Amino acid sequence: MAAFGRKPASSIFKPNAAVCRLAATIDMTLLALETSCDETSAAVVRGGRILSSAVSSQIKLHAEYGGVVPELAAREHLRNLIPVVQTALTDAGVEIGQLDAVAATQGPGLPMALLVGFKAAQAIAFARRKPFVGINHHEAHLYSPWIHGNPLVADFSGFQPNLSLIVSGGHTMLVLVESELKHRVLGSTVDDAAGECFDKTGKLMGLPYPAGPEIDRLAEQGNPRAFDFPRPLLKDPGDDFSFSGLKTSVRYFLRDHPALPDDPQRLRDLCASVQAAIVEVLVAKTIRAAKREGVRCVTASGGVTCNRALRRELARVCGREGFELRLAEKSLCTDNAAMIGILAERKLLAGISPTPLDQEITPGWVLA
Ligand code: KG4
Ligand code: ZN
């Protein structure tokens, strides 16, 4: 009987160089999986084209608890993964035997959630003897603003160095993307992320989780100058963000005005005022970093990039300052496997080695 150590030493766990070279052609067909948080997603990409992108969101499940419950998220991924993969393959018109490579989010994310997609992708790669690529979720966000159209296609022909804002429920980051696959993180949040600030202040106002989209909707008919909230670290010369102070000031404001959310127009004004504070900080710090770094292009991605005021304000200021602006399509702002697949494809085409199959998830993977 074969003896198995803790670390499999067999060469079957190492990427096969010949297979990888063969696979890394512009026409390779790649299946990508994303399960880092509360979206189960699978996508098939080929030559920069998104042949299919299936996303099963767990928002309704977690709404009851006012936030993502990791154990529930993992169970839901387990339940949904195979149907989602099946949908992605069917929509793409691709059989599993036609895949040339497989990719999955390796980190950062919820450990038990990451494991579902990562291990499934490794298992497919192992069974089909295909290269596997583990991807950093945030690095994938950096390239999502270059995917556009219907059908969605990644077009890097106009690529230029850019300042990238990644803004989601868990992260707020400014990243200098110097060239394709080369980046440097300039700053990130020291406490709450911008999306978290939307969600937590919205919760204080009595809005359902996640409150970001609801604040966006209500703010459209509100006065952003009705109430004055702090703009944290706006004047600080660094590129870090901080949003917990803003959340606290909304808490004190509501303590002093407990009946305000009962008045629909005053609630809209409050939403617009909180949103204006978040958006002003995000836009001002992004543009300042872009000017300082000498790039001519600004990009934005992550769930909060769905926010209409943020999109409008980035467009207005970039137009005024002469920056090209690339915003991720709304369907690609929230978590999706399409962006994971596009980055994995770029890496294989650039000759970057696949990820050995004995590698594990990296839940705390910090983009450098
Ligand atoms: O990227 P994402 O789907 O998940 C991660 O956090 O990784 O982002 C979700 C976040 C939530 O905080 C949600 O409230 C926020 O994005 N969000 C929005 C909007 N749509 C989603 N925040 C403000 N305005 C929106 N329209
Ligand atoms: Zn994300």
Side-chain angles (χ1 to χ4, degrees), residues 11-342:
S11 63
I12 56 171
F13 288 99
K14 304 235 162 45
N16 176 317
V19 169
C20 298
R21 265 198 304 281
L22 197 69
T25 65
I26 194 69
D27 278 332
M28 70 181 152
T29 304
L30 184 148
L31 170 71
L33 307 182
E34 151 66 40
T35 61
S36 64
C37 189
D38 60 346
E39 261 104 24
T40 315
S41 179
V44 179
V45 307
R46 183 190 294 143
R49 280 168 296 139
I50 313 292
L51 299 187
S52 64
S53 173
V55 182
S56 168
S57 173
Q58 305 177 3
I59 280 183
K60 283 201 184 107
L61 175 75
H62 298 289
E64 199 181 320
Y65 304 92
V68 178
V69 183
E71 173 72 20
L72 283 184
R75 284 168 187 250
E76 200 64 7
H77 285 312
L78 281 170
R79 202 192 323 271
N80 291 335
L81 190 72
I82 289 176
V84 165
V85 169
Q86 195 57 61
T87 302
L89 290 172
T90 306
D91 289 356
V94 166
E95 302 279 338
I96 202 156
Q98 294 174 292
L99 295 174
D100 298 304
V102 190
T105 305
Q106 186 166 359
L110 302 171
M112 298 308 284
L114 281 169
L115 270 175
V116 178
F118 191 75
K119 288 292 156 192
Q122 282 183 326
I124 297 170
F126 175 68
R128 313 291 324 169
R129 297 286 190 274
K130 299 296 177 192
F132 165 74
V133 191
I135 291 290
N136 179 300
H137 180 93
H138 291 142
E139 189 180 3
H141 270 304
L142 293 179
Y143 300 97
S144 60
W146 301 87
I147 309 170
H148 285 290
N150 186 14
L152 289 164
V153 179
D155 181 5
F156 294 97
S157 58
F159 182 88
Q160 56 170 316
N162 60 80
L163 208 295
S164 195
L165 171 70
I166 303 176
V167 68
S168 71
H171 298 86
T172 306
M173 305 170 91
L174 280 178
V175 186
L176 174 65
V177 187
E178 294 158 307
S179 59
E180 272 189 71
L181 306 181
K182 186 161 182 271
H183 59 262
R184 182 158 52 88
V185 175
L186 303 175
S188 50
T189 183
V190 296
D191 42 50
D192 290 353
E196 217 174 340
C197 186
F198 271 109
D199 295 340
K200 288 179 176 172
T201 55
K203 191 174 179 182
L204 294 169
M205 299 175 210
L207 301 177
Y209 172 87
E214 193 61 8
I215 291 183
D216 181 350
R217 192 181 68 78
L218 293 169
E220 284 294 297
Q221 273 126 41
N223 174 6
R225 283 178 286 278
F227 309 109
D228 191 22
F229 288 107
R231 271 63 172 158
L233 295 188
L234 182 62
K235 301 276 186 268
D236 183 272
D239 293 323
D240 284 338
F241 296 92
S242 164
F243 289 105
S244 72
L246 173 55
K247 173 192 65 190
T248 306
S249 72
V250 173
R251 172 173 290 130
Y252 288 144
F253 178 85
L254 284 167
R255 181 196 62 192
D256 298 339
H257 305 83
L260 187 141
D262 299 335
D263 177 332
Q265 188 50 45
R266 302 257 287 162
L267 177 61
R268 291 186 201 108
D269 291 344
L270 178 59
C271 288
S273 301
V274 172
Q275 178 176 272
I278 299 172
V279 167
E280 186 179 338
V281 173
L282 292 175
V283 174
K285 297 199 78 151
T286 304
I287 299 298
R288 193 183 57 193
K291 282 185 184 167
R292 190 192 61 231
E293 298 298 333
V295 297
R296 299 308 317 149
C297 178
V298 167
T299 72
S301 61
V304 178
T305 308
C306 290
N307 184 270
R308 284 170 287 182
L310 177 62
R311 293 176 89 88
R312 277 197 302 266
E313 193 57 9
L314 277 172
R316 188 183 70 79
V317 180
C318 283
R320 187 187 71 202
E321 303 288 340
F323 288 107
E324 179 190 348
L325 175 65
R326 284 180 176 262
L327 297 169
E329 299 259 350
K330 287 192 178 179
S331 65
L332 297 174
C333 282
T334 45
D335 292 343
N336 65 89
M339 66 179 187
I340 304 296
I342 290 297

